[in-house]
Amino acid sequence: NAGVTQTPKFRVLKTGQSMTLLCAQDMNHEYMYWYRQDPGMGLRLIHYSVGEGTTAKGEVPDGYNVSRLKKQNFLLGLESAAPSQTSVYFCASSYGGDRYGYTFGSGTRLTVV
Amino acid sequence: GDSVTQMEGPVTLSEEAFLTINCTYTATGYPSLFWYVQYPGEGLQLLLKATKADDKGSNKGFEATYRKETTSFHLEKGSVQVSDSAVYFCALMSGGSNYKLTFGKGTLLTVNP
């Protein structure tokens, strides 16, 4: 029962480097989300997807790009990392609707130096 | 826009004490309301939810009642345990929002033996 799997779990980047965070779910969920969690800020939505091949901006999309080429995968890219992107990133997925809520991954802790 | 306000933490209690974490919201229409819990080093897990006014969500001894007149969804537990130590997030989902969750900033609860 894997649920939502995020890779990597930890990463340190230098300013200006790029990387991709991978989120994979095995529950056949249509909806997928990327959030960042910062102290005192709660969770803020970066981008989300309502189905394979779709993406949309959330609350804090600047500096990030996403892709959903396959239904089970949702990738978050940082093209040129900045120290302000130091955060814990969570992926979540859902069927849609309010009946079941979201299933979250265990997070990726990213530090940009 | 939608927003969630929850009481500032941290909250420190002794085992078997009564817990209340306040949560109020602002939203258009009639949102669904959720409480999520995050244990150290883990992702968020759905704790309970309520989808319409006067509904009571409950799970693991925790309860919250959807109060439309006061736009509140306060979390309560009659007797906390050390294992309840975690961060608690209140969240809402508005209709027509593509099932996006808006989170409060979280409340850290520490229960001492």
Side-chain angles (χ1 to χ4, degrees):
Chain A
N1 59 352
V4 177
T5 302
Q6 291 184 233
T7 53
K9 293 192 185 305
F10 302 93
R11 184 74 186 267
V12 178
L13 282 182
K14 294 183 179 179
T15 298
Q17 287 185 320
S18 64
M19 78 164 293
T20 300
L21 282 66
L22 172 63
C23 176
Q25 53 97 359
D26 62 0
M27 297 167 288
N28 203 34
H29 284 169
E30 286 293 333
Y31 293 74
M32 297 187 75
Y33 309 84
W34 276 107
Y35 285 86
R36 60 178 289 173
Q37 183 180 27
D38 302 292
M41 302 292 289
L43 276 81
R44 293 181 292 169
L45 182 64
I46 304 171
H47 287 280
Y48 65 100
S49 168
V50 301
E52 181 179 313
T54 75
T55 63
K57 293 180 180 180
E59 182 185 353
V60 288
D62 294 342
Y64 305 95
N65 56 75
V66 287
S67 64
R68 183 119 181 254
L69 299 179
K70 293 183 179 181
K71 186 176 183 179
Q72 63 267 36
N73 295 336
F74 194 29
L75 279 62
L76 178 71
L78 287 73
E79 288 187 349
S80 179
S84 61
Q85 294 178 303
T86 294
S87 187
V88 181
Y89 292 86
F90 286 100
C91 176
S93 68
S94 77
Y95 286 113
D98 57 13
R99 188 167 185 180
Y100 300 104
Y102 289 7
T103 300
F104 279 84
S106 58
T108 296
R109 182 174 295 276
L110 175 66
T111 302
V112 182
V113 297
Chain B
D2 297 343
S3 67
V4 175
T5 302
Q6 56 182 109
M7 64 187 286
E8 298 276 333
V11 174
T12 302
L13 296 174
S14 298
E15 207 164 23
E16 300 184 1
F18 184 84
L19 168 70
T20 299
I21 301 178
N22 290 336
C23 172
T24 58
Y25 67 89
T26 302
T28 53
Y30 303 102
S32 296
L33 301 173
F34 303 80
W35 276 101
Y36 280 81
V37 58
Q38 183 181 31
Y39 298 104
E42 299 183 9
L44 280 71
Q45 302 173 25
L46 178 63
L47 181 59
L48 54 84
K49 67 180 177 72
T51 58
K52 62 182 188 297
D54 299 325
D55 268 2
K56 178 185 281 189
S58 61
N59 186 26
K60 299 182 180 180
F62 291 89
E63 294 183 339
T65 301
Y66 188 165
R67 302 284 189 201
K68 180 164 142 317
E69 62 277 13
T70 55
T71 61
S72 65
F73 193 54
H74 305 321
L75 182 68
E76 295 182 337
K77 187 176 185 183
S79 177
V80 294
Q81 306 300 311
V82 172
S83 57
D84 293 327
S85 298
V87 181
Y88 292 82
F89 292 92
C90 185
L92 69 83
M93 181 186 289
S94 286
S97 67
N98 277 323
Y99 309 115
K100 296 193 299 290
L101 279 173
T102 298
F103 288 89
K105 294 183 178 181
T107 302
L108 172 63
L109 169 67
T110 301
V111 180
N112 295 317

